[in-house]
């Protein structure tokens, strides 16, 4: 299926800064998922969201399921060097699963 | 560790050959998904199985096929391989539709 619109494509930040990325779609979804992928590795699930308006945290990560069910954002607070990687979103509705192209995060110490 | 296992980790083969990739889902998960990820590309959904039955098809070529066995493990068969089939192939599992998917470590296929 069509990819989700994920932005920004890449980010270069200083250690300690906060990061925000988002995904939008023209379609509604029942579930929004956020993953982190290191080169050559499998994506690792960070946060799963199931209800419109839901705000969920996982340590320094916070994600929200947009009220329109067509968007989601992920925030990372106080970034550290190990946050480097590619983050991507996924939206699910029944058998339709779509992915964002990813946000490549670089953290400078 | 996601609990999803995939074998082999690496596979190198020649054009025209056939290979089989194997995936074991997390304990309790009935649904298995297969994805292809080419170099610096996003994930492309190939096919989904639920409790042994095909549930959804994505951009899967006719040269590719898959199945899910009674013990819930799944195999992805790739035949008449071409250079362009070189990619990372991931398997993911979930309890059911609209639940979070957990990905395996992937199989890196190189076709020479």
């Amino acid at each position: 299926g069509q990819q989700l619109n994920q932005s920004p494509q890449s980010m270069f930040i200083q250690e300690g800064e906060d990061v925000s990325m988002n995904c939008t779609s023209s379609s509604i979804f029942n579930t929004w998922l956020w993953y982190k992928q290191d080169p050559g590795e499998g994506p690792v699930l960070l946060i799963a969201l199931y209800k419109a308006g839901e705000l969920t945290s996982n340590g320094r990560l916070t994600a929200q399921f947009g009220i329109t069910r067509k968007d989601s954002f992920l925030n990372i607070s106080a970034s550290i060097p190990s946050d480097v990687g590619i983050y991507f979103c996924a939206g699910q509705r029944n058998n339709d699963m779509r992915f964002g192209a990813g946000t490549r995060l670089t953290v400078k110490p | 560790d996601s609990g999803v296992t995939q074998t082999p980790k690496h596979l190198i083969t020649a054009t025209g050959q056939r290979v089989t990739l194997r995936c074991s889902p997390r304990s309790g998960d009935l649904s298995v998904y297969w994805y292809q990820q080419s170099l610096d590309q996003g994930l492309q959904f190939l096919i989904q199985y639920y409790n042994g039955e095909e549930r959804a098809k994505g951009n899967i070529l006719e040269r590719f096929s898959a199945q899910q066995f009674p013990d819930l493990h799944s195999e992805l068969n790739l035949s008449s391989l071409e250079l362009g089939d070189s990619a990372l192939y991931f398997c993911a599992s979930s309890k059911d539709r609209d639940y979070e998917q957990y990905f395996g470590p992937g199989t890196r296929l190189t076709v020479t």
Side-chain angles (χ1 to χ4, degrees), chain A residues 8-21 36-39 76 78-87 102-109:
Chain A
Q9 201 169 16
S10 61
M11 299 184 76
F12 296 82
I13 61 169
Q14 287 291 143
E15 184 177 355
E17 288 183 354
D18 296 344
V19 171
S20 185
M21 58 192 79
K36 179 175 183 258
Q37 186 177 23
D38 292 326
I76 305 173
S79 58
I80 59 178
S82 63
D83 290 334
V84 164
I86 299 175
Y87 293 79
T103 295
R104 185 180 295 271
L105 179 64
T106 302
V107 180
K108 293 179 277 188

mmCIF file of all heavy atoms in Angstrom, chain A residues 8-21 36-39 76 78-87 102-109:
data_model
loop_
_atom_site.group_PDB
_atom_site.id
_atom_site.type_symbol
_atom_site.label_atom_id
_atom_site.label_comp_id
_atom_site.label_asym_id
_atom_site.label_seq_id
_atom_site.Cartn_x
_atom_site.Cartn_y
_atom_site.Cartn_z
ATOM 1 N N PRO A 8 10.387 14.805 10.035
ATOM 2 C CA PRO A 8 11.266 15.095 8.917
ATOM 3 C C PRO A 8 11.941 13.829 8.404
ATOM 4 O O PRO A 8 11.848 12.779 9.045
ATOM 5 C CB PRO A 8 12.295 16.043 9.528
ATOM 6 C CG PRO A 8 12.387 15.605 10.945
ATOM 7 C CD PRO A 8 10.996 15.179 11.334
ATOM 8 N N GLN A 9 12.591 13.944 7.262
ATOM 9 C CA GLN A 9 13.288 12.799 6.679
ATOM 10 C C GLN A 9 14.538 12.479 7.494
ATOM 11 O O GLN A 9 14.914 11.326 7.652
ATOM 12 C CB GLN A 9 13.663 13.134 5.247
ATOM 13 C CG GLN A 9 13.925 11.948 4.370
ATOM 14 C CD GLN A 9 14.035 12.372 2.914
ATOM 15 O OE1 GLN A 9 14.207 13.550 2.603
ATOM 16 N NE2 GLN A 9 13.939 11.417 2.022
ATOM 17 N N SER A 10 15.200 13.531 7.994
ATOM 18 C CA SER A 10 16.394 13.340 8.806
ATOM 19 C C SER A 10 16.522 14.498 9.788
ATOM 20 O O SER A 10 15.973 15.582 9.565
ATOM 21 C CB SER A 10 17.642 13.242 7.926
ATOM 22 O OG SER A 10 17.820 14.420 7.179
ATOM 23 N N MET A 11 17.243 14.224 10.875
ATOM 24 C CA MET A 11 17.458 15.242 11.903
ATOM 25 C C MET A 11 18.872 15.097 12.445
ATOM 26 O O MET A 11 19.322 13.968 12.705
ATOM 27 C CB MET A 11 16.476 15.085 13.058
ATOM 28 C CG MET A 11 15.029 15.216 12.684
ATOM 29 S SD MET A 11 13.974 15.141 14.142
ATOM 30 C CE MET A 11 14.236 16.766 14.828
ATOM 31 N N PHE A 12 19.530 16.234 12.625
ATOM 32 C CA PHE A 12 20.850 16.258 13.238
ATOM 33 C C PHE A 12 20.727 17.118 14.491
ATOM 34 O O PHE A 12 20.440 18.302 14.390
ATOM 35 C CB PHE A 12 21.890 16.876 12.293
ATOM 36 C CG PHE A 12 22.097 16.061 11.047
ATOM 37 C CD1 PHE A 12 21.229 16.175 9.973
ATOM 38 C CD2 PHE A 12 23.144 15.169 10.960
ATOM 39 C CE1 PHE A 12 21.412 15.422 8.824
ATOM 40 C CE2 PHE A 12 23.337 14.410 9.805
ATOM 41 C CZ PHE A 12 22.469 14.543 8.745
ATOM 42 N N ILE A 13 20.909 16.523 15.645
ATOM 43 C CA ILE A 13 20.700 17.267 16.882
ATOM 44 C C ILE A 13 21.864 17.065 17.828
ATOM 45 O O ILE A 13 22.663 16.141 17.673
ATOM 46 C CB ILE A 13 19.395 16.837 17.582
ATOM 47 C CG1 ILE A 13 19.462 15.350 17.950
ATOM 48 C CG2 ILE A 13 18.191 17.120 16.697
ATOM 49 C CD1 ILE A 13 18.356 14.913 18.855
ATOM 50 N N GLN A 14 21.938 17.956 18.824
ATOM 51 C CA GLN A 14 22.937 17.837 19.880
ATOM 52 C C GLN A 14 22.388 16.930 20.979
ATOM 53 O O GLN A 14 21.181 16.921 21.246
ATOM 54 C CB GLN A 14 23.244 19.194 20.487
ATOM 55 C CG GLN A 14 24.067 20.136 19.622
ATOM 56 C CD GLN A 14 25.500 19.680 19.441
ATOM 57 O OE1 GLN A 14 26.072 19.847 18.371
ATOM 58 N NE2 GLN A 14 26.098 19.120 20.479
ATOM 59 N N GLU A 15 23.291 16.222 21.601
ATOM 60 C CA GLU A 15 22.909 15.415 22.755
ATOM 61 C C GLU A 15 22.212 16.307 23.770
ATOM 62 O O GLU A 15 22.637 17.430 24.038
ATOM 63 C CB GLU A 15 24.165 14.794 23.376
ATOM 64 C CG GLU A 15 23.893 13.864 24.532
ATOM 65 C CD GLU A 15 25.158 13.225 25.075
ATOM 66 O OE1 GLU A 15 26.244 13.440 24.483
ATOM 67 O OE2 GLU A 15 25.078 12.507 26.090
ATOM 68 N N GLY A 16 21.117 15.798 24.324
ATOM 69 C CA GLY A 16 20.378 16.562 25.318
ATOM 70 C C GLY A 16 19.161 17.282 24.757
ATOM 71 O O GLY A 16 18.265 17.680 25.509
ATOM 72 N N GLU A 17 19.129 17.440 23.430
ATOM 73 C CA GLU A 17 17.986 18.127 22.816
ATOM 74 C C GLU A 17 16.786 17.195 22.712
ATOM 75 O O GLU A 17 16.922 15.975 22.733
ATOM 76 C CB GLU A 17 18.363 18.633 21.413
ATOM 77 C CG GLU A 17 19.315 19.803 21.422
ATOM 78 C CD GLU A 17 19.595 20.323 20.019
ATOM 79 O OE1 GLU A 17 19.145 19.715 19.041
ATOM 80 O OE2 GLU A 17 20.272 21.357 19.918
ATOM 81 N N ASP A 18 15.607 17.819 22.580
ATOM 82 C CA ASP A 18 14.386 17.048 22.367
ATOM 83 C C ASP A 18 14.145 16.907 20.856
ATOM 84 O O ASP A 18 14.572 17.743 20.060
ATOM 85 C CB ASP A 18 13.190 17.743 22.997
ATOM 86 C CG ASP A 18 13.311 17.846 24.510
ATOM 87 O OD1 ASP A 18 14.151 17.120 25.100
ATOM 88 O OD2 ASP A 18 12.576 18.655 25.103
ATOM 89 N N VAL A 19 13.444 15.832 20.488
ATOM 90 C CA VAL A 19 13.192 15.518 19.081
ATOM 91 C C VAL A 19 11.705 15.290 18.892
ATOM 92 O O VAL A 19 11.052 14.722 19.766
ATOM 93 C CB VAL A 19 13.942 14.229 18.681
ATOM 94 C CG1 VAL A 19 13.527 13.751 17.301
ATOM 95 C CG2 VAL A 19 15.440 14.446 18.749
ATOM 96 N N SER A 20 11.193 15.728 17.764
ATOM 97 C CA SER A 20 9.794 15.463 17.451
ATOM 98 C C SER A 20 9.661 15.063 15.987
ATOM 99 O O SER A 20 10.251 15.681 15.113
ATOM 100 C CB SER A 20 8.945 16.712 17.716
ATOM 101 O OG SER A 20 7.578 16.415 17.526
ATOM 102 N N MET A 21 8.903 14.021 15.722
ATOM 103 C CA MET A 21 8.657 13.572 14.360
ATOM 104 C C MET A 21 7.190 13.166 14.261
ATOM 105 O O MET A 21 6.564 12.838 15.272
ATOM 106 C CB MET A 21 9.581 12.421 13.977
ATOM 107 C CG MET A 21 9.488 11.216 14.849
ATOM 108 S SD MET A 21 10.815 10.023 14.587
ATOM 109 C CE MET A 21 12.170 10.770 15.501
ATOM 110 N N LYS A 36 11.964 1.584 15.940
ATOM 111 C CA LYS A 36 13.340 2.055 15.694
ATOM 112 C C LYS A 36 14.095 0.918 15.034
ATOM 113 O O LYS A 36 13.975 -0.246 15.458
ATOM 114 C CB LYS A 36 14.021 2.448 17.000
ATOM 115 C CG LYS A 36 15.471 2.917 16.832
ATOM 116 C CD LYS A 36 16.025 3.407 18.151
ATOM 117 C CE LYS A 36 17.440 3.932 17.970
ATOM 118 N NZ LYS A 36 18.459 3.018 18.409
ATOM 119 N N GLN A 37 14.842 1.264 13.992
ATOM 120 C CA GLN A 37 15.606 0.248 13.279
ATOM 121 C C GLN A 37 17.063 0.681 13.142
ATOM 122 O O GLN A 37 17.352 1.779 12.665
ATOM 123 C CB GLN A 37 15.003 -0.012 11.896
ATOM 124 C CG GLN A 37 15.682 -1.163 11.170
ATOM 125 C CD GLN A 37 15.044 -1.478 9.829
ATOM 126 O OE1 GLN A 37 14.389 -0.634 9.220
ATOM 127 N NE2 GLN A 37 15.221 -2.703 9.356
ATOM 128 N N ASP A 38 17.965 -0.185 13.561
ATOM 129 C CA ASP A 38 19.392 0.030 13.341
ATOM 130 C C ASP A 38 19.770 -0.664 12.037
ATOM 131 O O ASP A 38 19.124 -1.639 11.639
ATOM 132 C CB ASP A 38 20.210 -0.523 14.504
ATOM 133 C CG ASP A 38 19.983 0.263 15.775
ATOM 134 O OD1 ASP A 38 19.769 1.497 15.676
ATOM 135 O OD2 ASP A 38 19.997 -0.327 16.863
ATOM 136 N N PRO A 39 20.813 -0.198 11.344
ATOM 137 C CA PRO A 39 21.185 -0.777 10.043
ATOM 138 C C PRO A 39 21.365 -2.288 10.099
ATOM 139 O O PRO A 39 22.067 -2.809 10.972
ATOM 140 C CB PRO A 39 22.518 -0.079 9.727
ATOM 141 C CG PRO A 39 22.442 1.210 10.457
ATOM 142 C CD PRO A 39 21.688 0.921 11.729
ATOM 143 N N ILE A 76 11.036 12.469 21.512
ATOM 144 C CA ILE A 76 12.120 11.905 22.306
ATOM 145 C C ILE A 76 12.704 13.055 23.109
ATOM 146 O O ILE A 76 13.112 14.077 22.542
ATOM 147 C CB ILE A 76 13.229 11.279 21.433
ATOM 148 C CG1 ILE A 76 12.642 10.237 20.477
ATOM 149 C CG2 ILE A 76 14.303 10.650 22.311
ATOM 150 C CD1 ILE A 76 13.651 9.689 19.471
ATOM 151 N N ALA A 78 15.468 14.747 25.834
ATOM 152 C CA ALA A 78 16.843 14.637 26.326
ATOM 153 C C ALA A 78 17.621 13.545 25.580
ATOM 154 O O ALA A 78 18.059 12.559 26.185
ATOM 155 C CB ALA A 78 16.841 14.373 27.829
ATOM 156 N N SER A 79 17.788 13.721 24.288
ATOM 157 C CA SER A 79 18.389 12.677 23.450
ATOM 158 C C SER A 79 19.803 12.312 23.922
ATOM 159 O O SER A 79 20.537 13.138 24.483
ATOM 160 C CB SER A 79 18.448 13.153 21.996
ATOM 161 O OG SER A 79 19.182 14.356 21.915
ATOM 162 N N ILE A 80 20.138 11.067 23.684
ATOM 163 C CA ILE A 80 21.461 10.530 24.024
ATOM 164 C C ILE A 80 22.034 9.859 22.769
ATOM 165 O O ILE A 80 21.273 9.559 21.840
ATOM 166 C CB ILE A 80 21.378 9.535 25.199
ATOM 167 C CG1 ILE A 80 20.443 8.373 24.856
ATOM 168 C CG2 ILE A 80 20.926 10.251 26.468
ATOM 169 C CD1 ILE A 80 20.346 7.318 25.955
ATOM 170 N N PRO A 81 23.342 9.634 22.735
ATOM 171 C CA PRO A 81 23.957 9.067 21.523
ATOM 172 C C PRO A 81 23.324 7.759 21.044
ATOM 173 O O PRO A 81 23.229 7.520 19.849
ATOM 174 C CB PRO A 81 25.415 8.879 21.932
ATOM 175 C CG PRO A 81 25.657 9.969 22.925
ATOM 176 C CD PRO A 81 24.371 10.072 23.702
ATOM 177 N N SER A 82 22.862 6.922 21.935
ATOM 178 C CA SER A 82 22.287 5.638 21.522
ATOM 179 C C SER A 82 20.895 5.783 20.892
ATOM 180 O O SER A 82 20.329 4.792 20.412
ATOM 181 C CB SER A 82 22.220 4.672 22.699
ATOM 182 O OG SER A 82 21.360 5.166 23.698
ATOM 183 N N ASP A 83 20.371 6.988 20.852
ATOM 184 C CA ASP A 83 19.100 7.221 20.157
ATOM 185 C C ASP A 83 19.285 7.246 18.641
ATOM 186 O O ASP A 83 18.312 7.233 17.895
ATOM 187 C CB ASP A 83 18.465 8.546 20.590
ATOM 188 C CG ASP A 83 17.946 8.521 22.016
ATOM 189 O OD1 ASP A 83 17.622 7.410 22.514
ATOM 190 O OD2 ASP A 83 17.857 9.591 22.642
ATOM 191 N N VAL A 84 20.529 7.261 18.197
ATOM 192 C CA VAL A 84 20.819 7.272 16.755
ATOM 193 C C VAL A 84 20.154 6.066 16.086
ATOM 194 O O VAL A 84 20.199 4.955 16.595
ATOM 195 C CB VAL A 84 22.345 7.226 16.530
ATOM 196 C CG1 VAL A 84 22.675 6.852 15.102
ATOM 197 C CG2 VAL A 84 22.966 8.556 16.887
ATOM 198 N N GLY A 85 19.549 6.310 14.931
ATOM 199 C CA GLY A 85 18.924 5.225 14.187
ATOM 200 C C GLY A 85 17.825 5.767 13.303
ATOM 201 O O GLY A 85 17.678 6.977 13.133
ATOM 202 N N ILE A 86 17.071 4.853 12.732
ATOM 203 C CA ILE A 86 15.943 5.243 11.882
ATOM 204 C C ILE A 86 14.657 4.913 12.614
ATOM 205 O O ILE A 86 14.452 3.784 13.059
ATOM 206 C CB ILE A 86 15.999 4.524 10.523
ATOM 207 C CG1 ILE A 86 17.281 4.895 9.790
ATOM 208 C CG2 ILE A 86 14.778 4.886 9.680
ATOM 209 C CD1 ILE A 86 17.490 4.150 8.492
ATOM 210 N N TYR A 87 13.803 5.910 12.731
ATOM 211 C CA TYR A 87 12.518 5.736 13.390
ATOM 212 C C TYR A 87 11.436 5.749 12.325
ATOM 213 O O TYR A 87 11.436 6.614 11.444
ATOM 214 C CB TYR A 87 12.275 6.884 14.379
ATOM 215 C CG TYR A 87 13.229 6.862 15.545
ATOM 216 C CD1 TYR A 87 14.533 7.349 15.401
ATOM 217 C CD2 TYR A 87 12.848 6.355 16.784
ATOM 218 C CE1 TYR A 87 15.430 7.319 16.455
ATOM 219 C CE2 TYR A 87 13.734 6.321 17.849
ATOM 220 C CZ TYR A 87 15.022 6.801 17.669
ATOM 221 O OH TYR A 87 15.895 6.767 18.720
ATOM 222 N N GLY A 102 10.492 6.742 7.216
ATOM 223 C CA GLY A 102 11.496 6.795 8.268
ATOM 224 C C GLY A 102 12.093 8.160 8.487
ATOM 225 O O GLY A 102 12.155 8.990 7.567
ATOM 226 N N THR A 103 12.512 8.421 9.726
ATOM 227 C CA THR A 103 13.260 9.616 10.095
ATOM 228 C C THR A 103 14.617 9.144 10.587
ATOM 229 O O THR A 103 14.700 8.392 11.558
ATOM 230 C CB THR A 103 12.550 10.408 11.209
ATOM 231 O OG1 THR A 103 11.307 10.902 10.718
ATOM 232 C CG2 THR A 103 13.418 11.558 11.687
ATOM 233 N N ARG A 104 15.675 9.597 9.905
ATOM 234 C CA ARG A 104 17.037 9.201 10.289
ATOM 235 C C ARG A 104 17.550 10.204 11.310
ATOM 236 O O ARG A 104 17.693 11.386 11.010
ATOM 237 C CB ARG A 104 17.950 9.162 9.063
ATOM 238 C CG ARG A 104 19.348 8.643 9.342
ATOM 239 C CD ARG A 104 20.171 8.648 8.060
ATOM 240 N NE ARG A 104 19.640 7.719 7.079
ATOM 241 C CZ ARG A 104 19.982 6.446 6.980
ATOM 242 N NH1 ARG A 104 20.875 5.940 7.822
ATOM 243 N NH2 ARG A 104 19.465 5.676 6.043
ATOM 244 N N LEU A 105 17.807 9.727 12.530
ATOM 245 C CA LEU A 105 18.231 10.611 13.613
ATOM 246 C C LEU A 105 19.723 10.464 13.869
ATOM 247 O O LEU A 105 20.228 9.346 14.049
ATOM 248 C CB LEU A 105 17.450 10.283 14.884
ATOM 249 C CG LEU A 105 17.785 11.111 16.118
ATOM 250 C CD1 LEU A 105 17.448 12.576 15.903
ATOM 251 C CD2 LEU A 105 17.053 10.577 17.342
ATOM 252 N N THR A 106 20.408 11.597 13.871
ATOM 253 C CA THR A 106 21.829 11.645 14.230
ATOM 254 C C THR A 106 21.968 12.516 15.472
ATOM 255 O O THR A 106 21.451 13.629 15.502
ATOM 256 C CB THR A 106 22.673 12.235 13.086
ATOM 257 O OG1 THR A 106 22.471 11.441 11.908
ATOM 258 C CG2 THR A 106 24.153 12.233 13.444
ATOM 259 N N VAL A 107 22.657 12.016 16.480
ATOM 260 C CA VAL A 107 22.849 12.752 17.725
ATOM 261 C C VAL A 107 24.328 13.032 17.894
ATOM 262 O O VAL A 107 25.150 12.105 17.956
ATOM 263 C CB VAL A 107 22.324 11.956 18.931
ATOM 264 C CG1 VAL A 107 22.529 12.752 20.214
ATOM 265 C CG2 VAL A 107 20.854 11.617 18.742
ATOM 266 N N LYS A 108 24.664 14.312 17.962
ATOM 267 C CA LYS A 108 26.063 14.705 18.138
ATOM 268 C C LYS A 108 26.362 14.864 19.617
ATOM 269 O O LYS A 108 25.663 15.584 20.320
ATOM 270 C CB LYS A 108 26.332 16.008 17.395
ATOM 271 C CG LYS A 108 26.240 15.864 15.877
ATOM 272 C CD LYS A 108 26.487 17.172 15.177
ATOM 273 C CE LYS A 108 25.213 17.996 15.151
ATOM 274 N NZ LYS A 108 25.355 19.220 14.311
ATOM 275 N N PRO A 109 27.435 14.200 20.104
ATOM 276 C CA PRO A 109 27.754 14.297 21.530
ATOM 277 C C PRO A 109 28.229 15.695 21.910
ATOM 278 O O PRO A 109 28.684 16.457 21.076
ATOM 279 C CB PRO A 109 28.875 13.274 21.732
ATOM 280 C CG PRO A 109 29.077 12.599 20.437
ATOM 281 C CD PRO A 109 28.323 13.317 19.373
#
